[in-house]
């Protein structure tokens, strides 16, 4: 028997994505002055494929359709940006972009926590009998 709906597990996966994004952006900001440091990013596509691969078994009806399974086995979700240099020391961290990503991720995280709190409040209301 499943206690929570698929919505709660989907929100949990989204919170995990947001947490990973926060970690990567924080690492980039911390290494803004490190010579030859290459900025990292979280690939939503990889996270999406990993989440779908764990949630259900999908069937491909055409060879041109995307595969729903993660291709690398162990999920990391991070991508290193090797093709750009913003500083003369070989560092590819754009501080303005990282700060923007940090703020965007914070808004996303806050929205997710509000939604999951709403789900748990609804469950608590049902348990108490609507009181």
């Amino acid at each position: 028997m499943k206690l929570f709906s698929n919505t709660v597990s989907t929100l949990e996966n989204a919170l995990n994505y947001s947490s990973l994004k926060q970690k990567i952006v924080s690492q980039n900001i911390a290494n803004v002055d490190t010579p030859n440091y290459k900025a990292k990013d979280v690939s939503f596509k990889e996270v999406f494929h990993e989440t779908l691969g764990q949630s259900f078994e999908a069937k491909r009806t055409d060879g041109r359709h995307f595969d729903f399974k993660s291709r690398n086995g162990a999920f990391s979700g991070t991508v290193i940006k090797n093709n750009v240099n913003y500083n003369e020391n070989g560092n590819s961290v754009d501080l303005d972009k990282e700060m923007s990503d940090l703020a965007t991720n914070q808004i996303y995280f806050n929205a997710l926590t509000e939604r999951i709190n709403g789900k748990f409040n609804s469950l608590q209301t049902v348990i108490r009998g609507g009181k």
Side-chain angles (χ1 to χ4, degrees), residues 7 11 15 56 87 94:
T7 305
L11 289 169
L15 285 168
F56 64 90
N87 300 324
D94 180 3

Side-chain angles (χ1 to χ4, degrees), residues 85-105:
N85 282 332
Y86 293 112
N87 300 324
E88 62 280 346
N89 65 358
N91 188 308
S92 66
V93 177
D94 180 3
L95 189 58
D96 291 333
K97 181 196 174 304
E98 298 301 328
M99 295 303 285
S100 173
D101 286 351
L102 190 66
T104 302
N105 190 54

Side-chain angles (χ1 to χ4, degrees), residues 42 44 87:
V42 178
F44 179 79
N87 300 324

Side-chain angles (χ1 to χ4, degrees), residues 44-54 56-73:
F44 179 79
K45 179 181 172 185
E46 287 295 321
V47 173
F48 181 71
H49 283 295
E50 179 68 18
T51 301
L52 285 180
Q54 290 176 356
F56 64 90
E57 195 66 35
K59 293 184 181 180
R60 291 172 61 185
T61 57
D62 191 314
R64 297 173 289 180
H65 292 166
F66 288 114
D67 187 13
F68 287 100
K69 296 264 184 204
S70 178
R71 292 178 182 87
N72 58 2

